Amino acid sequence: MLAVEGGEPVRETLLPYGCQAIDEDDVQAVVETLRSEWLTTGPKVDEFEEAFAARVGAKHAISFSSGTAALHGAAFAAGLGPGDEAITSPLTFAATANCVLYQGATPAFVDVSPDTLTLDPEQVAFRINSRTRAVLPVDYAGHPCDLDPLLQLAERHGLVVIEDACHALGAEYRGRGIGSLSHMTVFSFHPVKHITTGEGGMVTTDNAEFAKTLRCFRNHGISSDARHRQTVGQWHYEMVLLGFNYRLTDIACALGLQQLKKLEANLARRRKIAASYSEAFRKIPAILCPVVCAEVNPAWHLYPIRLNLSKLSANRGEILRALRGENIGVNIHYIPVHLHPYYRDRFSYKGGEFPVAEDAYERLISLPMSHAMRDTDVEDVIWAVTKVVEHFTK
Ligand SMILES: Cc1ncc(COP(=O)(O)O)c(C=O)c1O
């Protein structure tokens, strides 16, 4: 019997949908930095940025206090301003589109592909007009977007591609690492991500001008940093653009450096969990597993299944409640951005504008996915999903 109907839950305690893994090396690294001379904008920031750039194969990596701040920096560096449009996906976290609004520009949503739920390049091509200045593709769930056609469109129309890879650290597209392909690529180090700094983000780029602007923007628009001035004995500094304090601390970067050493193991664990889920759920007709294109190696930030509602006697909300009753911390990614009250009110969206994203939203459930999960956790998820979905199968 289902737990929501009074039966025994599959687990005694809640398994969260995402969770960090922190070990003794991480704790030691943070403690050492707390005892050091620099708590912020010191040597650990440089070390983390250099190690990160090397890992993703980019010339420059510029750290930020969050993925959202990093997106804002990238939107600024791309030159987005009032009157401009940036094309992006509605099926994402609101921060992707919000960074366009921070710059006074307008997000132009385009529907996603029905298979991967990433931005559809054909629809992007159709949406480009004289106001379009940037494209912000989102590597949804850790599956890279179809970047080659997007980059070709950008080249043809003089656009900047800001890839939101907050889900995709360690993913590959046509054998090349995410972070080395778009004009700017943005990452997040929130605790549910592949590596964490508590809060934190990064922009990677091969473009030296973008890198210079990003460094300046995250530091109030000041053209030199305090450590450099101290080293050369200089007091004078100049604010050359209107920036913010979006700096990531040395404490956070010390943690990031340690976490980065574990990225390969974290990715391998996530890929193994995804393979176990796909193996188990492929046989269940009411479940559509995430689609993986041949040319990509996803990073599996999320494992979002889609329900085939025509085969079920319950809607997504009832299935979600039943899974939570079994102590499986399922979640929804995402409420399409244009359907949030702020976007509805400001841009008069009514629903129905982006049918693929909206249909996916009605059927999506993100299962727990984290490199901290044990084999027994994975078994619990498989058992609970099978139990609940079979219960409601017509
Ligand atoms: C797709 C996407 N973009 C941007 C962000 C914002 O990152 P942060 O939480 O580090 O600000 C997130 C956060 O989860 C995200 O999932």
Side-chain angles (χ1 to χ4, degrees):
M1 199 199 295
L2 297 184
V4 282
E5 292 173 353
E8 272 291 293
V10 167
R11 291 171 60 92
E12 276 178 18
T13 54
L14 183 77
L15 176 67
Y17 94 89
C19 175
Q20 73 277 14
I22 298 291
D23 64 20
E24 204 40 44
D25 291 346
D26 298 314
V27 174
Q28 277 312 317
V30 169
V31 169
E32 269 171 37
T33 299
L34 284 171
R35 296 201 169 108
S36 77
E37 191 183 346
W38 294 95
L39 294 190
T40 194
T41 325
K44 292 296 170 197
V45 175
D46 294 346
E47 275 182 60
F48 184 40
E49 290 177 347
E50 279 162 28
F52 194 90
R55 171 58 185 82
V56 304
K59 286 196 182 134
H60 312 275
I62 302 91
S63 59
F64 279 80
S65 51
S66 68
T68 304
L71 279 166
H72 188 185
F76 179 87
L80 281 175
D84 295 334
E85 289 184 0
I87 295 177
T88 193
S89 163
L91 199 67
T92 184
F93 187 55
T96 317
N98 291 350
C99 75
V100 178
L101 295 179
Y102 297 157
Q103 285 303 113
T106 305
F109 296 109
V110 153
D111 214 347
V112 291
S113 300
D115 51 359
T116 59
L117 303 181
T118 57
L119 213 50
D120 180 346
E122 277 183 28
Q123 298 212 42
V124 172
F126 194 68
R127 186 66 179 78
I128 292 170
N129 60 36
S130 58
R131 291 182 298 279
T132 313
R133 189 160 187 138
V135 183
L136 277 104
V138 179
D139 298 328
Y140 177 75
H143 186 294
C145 298
D146 197 2
L147 289 169
D148 280 347
L150 292 174
L151 287 164
Q152 281 156 16
L153 279 173
E155 173 85 41
R156 198 171 319 139
H157 296 275
L159 313 177
V160 180
V161 176
I162 303 170
E163 182 182 351
D164 184 338
C166 287
H167 294 183
L169 176 56
E172 288 163 26
Y173 174 78
R174 298 188 193 278
R176 294 169 293 163
I178 290 300
S180 67
L181 299 165
S182 296
H183 303 131
M184 287 180 269
T185 309
V186 176
F187 298 93
S188 161
F189 308 130
H190 180 276
V192 296
K193 300 296 184 341
H194 304 79
I195 65 169
T196 189
T197 57
E199 297 283 359
M202 193 77 83
V203 183
T204 59
T205 182
D206 281 348
N207 181 312
E209 263 315 298
F210 285 154
K212 192 173 159 208
T213 305
L214 288 160
R215 286 189 196 290
C216 191
F217 183 77
R218 67 143 184 225
N219 187 30
H220 306 278
I222 293 170
S223 54
S224 61
D225 77 48
R227 182 160 156 257
H228 175 73
R229 291 198 299 275
Q230 181 170 313
T231 318
V232 298
Q234 173 197 335
W235 63 268
H236 180 81
Y237 65 87
E238 284 176 338
M239 188 199 127
V240 294
L241 53 85
L242 186 61
F244 290 77
N245 179 354
Y246 278 160
R247 297 182 304 248
L248 191 59
T249 65
D250 258 41
I251 305 166
C253 289
L255 178 56
L257 267 166
Q258 283 304 318
Q259 288 268 306
L260 195 57
K261 293 180 187 162
K262 289 166 263 213
L263 176 61
E264 306 319 316
N266 295 352
L267 285 165
R269 181 71 188 136
R270 284 170 180 267
R271 287 177 178 142
K272 186 152 183 283
I273 295 169
S276 302
Y277 282 166
S278 296
E279 174 65 23
F281 301 137
R282 197 173 291 136
K283 303 166 213 144
I284 303 180
I287 293 178
L288 173 66
C289 294
V291 174
V292 177
C293 293
E295 68 272 18
V296 312
N297 187 7
W300 295 110
H301 164 52
L302 303 171
Y303 189 94
I305 58 168
R306 269 177 280 176
L307 300 171
N308 185 343
L309 294 173
S310 67
K311 294 192 171 4
L312 293 166
S313 60
N315 62 27
R316 189 267 313 272
E318 288 163 307
I319 305 258
L320 186 119
R321 260 192 305 283
L323 285 167
R324 287 198 174 160
E326 304 296 337
N327 276 325
I328 305 297
V330 282
N331 221 322
I332 309 291
H333 297 94
Y334 289 94
I335 299 168
V337 179
H338 66 289
L339 299 182
H340 283 296
Y342 181 85
Y343 279 85
R344 282 182 186 263
D345 292 350
R346 183 159 167 185
F347 298 103
S348 306
Y349 287 117
K350 307 233 162 340
E353 290 88 355
F354 308 106
V356 180
E358 291 174 30
D359 171 69
Y361 164 60
E362 297 293 338
R363 299 159 52 209
L364 279 166
I365 296 185
S366 298
L367 304 182
M369 171 55 84
S370 142
H371 44 268
M373 283 168 69
R374 296 162 304 170
D375 285 349
T376 49
D377 298 327
V378 179
E379 285 159 20
D380 287 346
V381 176
I382 292 174
W383 169 220
V385 170
T386 308
K387 175 181 168 184
V388 167
V389 170
E390 278 182 358
H391 177 91
F392 287 113
T393 297
K394 287 194 224 165

